Amino acid sequence: MKNKKRRRGLTLYIVIYVFVIMLAAMFLASTFLFFAHHLGLVEFNVEILDIDFPRIGGLFWLALFSTVIGTTLTATFSRQALKPLHKIIAATNKVAQGDFSVTVESKGIQELEELADSFNQMTRELSSIETLRSDFINNFSHEFKTPIVSIRGFAKLLIEENLSEEDKHEYLNIILAESERLANLSTNILNLTKYEAIEIITEKKPFRLDEQIRRAILLTEPKWSKKEINMDIKLDEITWSYDADITHHIWLNLLDNAIKFTKPGGNIVVTLSDTPSAILFCIRDDGVGMDENTAKHIFDKFYQGDKSHKQTGYGLGLAITKRIVTLCGGTISAESNPDEGSMFTVRLPHE
């Protein structure tokens, strides 16, 4: 395993590096003096431990030669030692220019390996965010433009004088439906912006959590009744203290999501239970499910697992839900497999 590999720390690396250069400098300087002595340029007086140079003291020359040689060796080999850092600096400059595909490698030194791993993780996350941003721009442009084009087209048709009352009624219904799509899109974006700006909820009042979920189920009744979905509801009686106007978005969004992806005649199970560790809300459907990659990004803003747009949506509902759950001090998770349905679990803290 990578974590079990023996790696030299940066501090030890520098100590060894400096020690080796010092030994090399002393060896080269001593070698120079040795040959100088044989050439008659230097005379050693062993008895008084003195170095007799013709004009300048030997200690000065030894120090000078050691300094020059050490500095030269340091300048030469430091380039190799700093090469991993230069790679990271060059890669950082590429990231600053918008290239998130760059990666770096560093082997042998623990700190530099960790720095390279962190850098590569950062570029992967930035690349993922950039992909989501690009997808959102494309999806948002499509979703926003389509109803506007429809409204404009059918409004032009209404100007014609030879339309029957039946056609006029149909066109007006289409215009109303497309207007509602635009309104829902705007509302979701405003809600997401609002909840992302909130850090602390101060207005908290006790309310029946199970009754709030029942009301959310009743509000979505036209949708699940139209698809003839069987609703299995098991809710413990729980009183919780929070801002009820905010938390009701959690249940509405999760119910809408489950209904959307459940096939006609399918089943949805909704449970609320009070456990010693937390309040648990679970909603399970037997719909189309999700693959591993979709489940990984399902709570990301603007992410849509259905690239074909067969299902309506803007990739904002679950992002809003997660933000609200986080504000409540809870967590939300998803479990799913393709064609086996999905289960979302919300864990809320006790008061």
Side-chain angles (χ1 to χ4, degrees):
M1 298 296 290
K2 183 177 180 180
N3 292 336
K4 295 182 179 180
K5 290 171 57 180
R6 297 188 63 183
R7 297 171 295 181
R8 291 174 293 173
L10 186 59
T11 302
L12 179 60
Y13 182 86
I14 293 175
V15 170
I16 294 175
Y17 182 77
V18 173
F19 181 72
V20 169
I21 289 180
M22 181 183 67
L23 289 180
M26 292 179 64
F27 173 77
L28 292 175
S30 300
T31 302
F32 174 81
L33 291 175
F34 175 77
F35 284 107
H37 172 69
H38 279 280
L39 293 175
L41 300 177
V42 179
E43 292 183 2
F44 295 94
N45 190 333
V46 180
E47 294 181 359
I48 61 174
L49 298 178
D50 188 20
I51 302 176
D52 183 20
F53 283 82
R55 296 182 180 179
I56 304 176
L59 291 177
F60 172 78
W61 282 106
L62 179 61
L64 178 62
F65 290 147
S66 297
T67 302
V68 172
I69 295 173
T71 303
T72 304
L73 292 175
T74 302
T76 302
F77 292 107
S78 62
R79 295 182 180 180
Q80 184 65 27
L82 296 175
K83 190 175 181 180
L85 292 178
H86 289 313
K87 288 182 178 179
I88 294 177
I89 292 172
T92 303
N93 291 333
K94 290 184 178 180
V95 171
Q97 296 171 4
D99 182 5
F100 303 129
S101 63
V102 62
T103 58
V104 294
E105 292 184 5
S106 181
K107 298 180 180 179
I109 302 177
Q110 180 178 353
E111 288 84 355
L112 294 181
E113 280 190 20
E114 293 176 355
L115 178 60
D117 290 341
S118 298
F119 180 88
N120 293 334
Q121 177 66 23
M122 177 193 70
T123 55
R124 285 193 294 269
E125 294 295 332
L126 288 174
S127 179
S128 176
I129 293 173
E130 178 64 18
T131 300
L132 290 178
R133 187 190 69 83
S134 299
D135 288 345
F136 164 69
I137 292 175
N138 294 331
N139 294 334
F140 183 84
S141 300
H142 171 78
E143 299 290 352
F144 201 80
K145 183 178 180 180
T146 300
I148 292 178
V149 172
S150 297
I151 291 172
R152 182 178 62 185
F154 286 104
K156 288 181 178 179
L157 291 175
L158 287 172
I159 298 176
E160 298 181 5
E161 298 179 356
N162 57 348
L163 288 177
S164 64
E165 289 298 321
E166 183 179 353
D167 287 339
K168 289 181 179 179
H169 185 72
E170 179 183 357
Y171 296 163
L172 285 172
N173 283 334
I174 293 175
I175 290 175
L176 287 174
E178 296 299 278
S179 299
E180 289 179 1
R181 285 183 61 188
L182 287 175
N184 290 334
L185 177 58
S186 300
T187 300
N188 280 333
I189 292 177
L190 289 174
N191 283 336
L192 182 61
T193 303
K194 178 177 70 175
Y195 294 130
E196 283 190 332
I198 297 176
E199 295 297 335
I200 300 176
I201 302 297
T202 56
E203 296 294 330
K204 297 182 180 180
K205 296 181 181 179
F207 65 94
R208 284 279 298 278
L209 194 58
D210 55 306
E211 288 299 326
Q212 185 182 64
I213 294 173
R214 283 193 183 91
R215 286 195 297 270
I217 294 172
L218 288 175
L219 286 174
T220 57
E221 189 272 338
K223 296 179 181 179
W224 50 265
S225 291
K226 184 178 180 180
K227 297 181 71 173
E228 299 182 348
I229 295 174
N230 177 51
M231 301 291 291
D232 186 359
I233 305 168
K234 299 177 183 178
L235 306 177
D236 289 350
E237 187 175 304
I238 298 176
T239 299
W240 199 55
S241 182
Y242 207 74
D243 189 332
D245 291 336
I246 292 179
T247 56
H248 85 281
H249 288 290
I250 299 174
W251 327 123
L252 286 176
N253 287 337
L254 291 176
L255 284 165
D256 280 338
N257 187 75
I259 295 168
K260 183 192 304 181
F261 293 103
T262 299
K263 298 177 181 178
N267 300 282
I268 294 177
V269 179
V270 180
T271 63
L272 178 69
S273 55
D274 192 0
T275 70
S277 59
I279 298 172
L280 296 183
F281 170 84
C282 295
I283 180 167
R284 184 174 69 250
D285 63 70
D286 56 4
V288 298
M290 299 176 287
D291 57 31
E292 183 178 355
N293 183 65
T294 300
K296 181 180 178 181
H297 296 285
I298 195 66
F299 297 109
D300 293 344
K301 291 180 287 187
F302 313 123
Y303 182 81
Q304 292 177 294
D306 178 22
K307 302 299 183 182
S308 64
H309 298 280
K310 292 181 180 179
Q311 302 291 343
T312 59
Y314 314 105
L316 295 172
L318 291 178
I320 294 172
T321 301
K322 183 177 182 180
R323 177 56 183 165
I324 296 175
V325 171
T326 301
L327 285 173
C328 295
T331 61
I332 182 171
S333 59
E335 300 177 15
S336 183
N337 289 304
D339 300 321
E340 296 182 8
S342 304
M343 182 176 72
F344 288 82
T345 302
V346 177
R347 292 174 173 81
L348 297 175
H350 292 110
E351 296 182 43

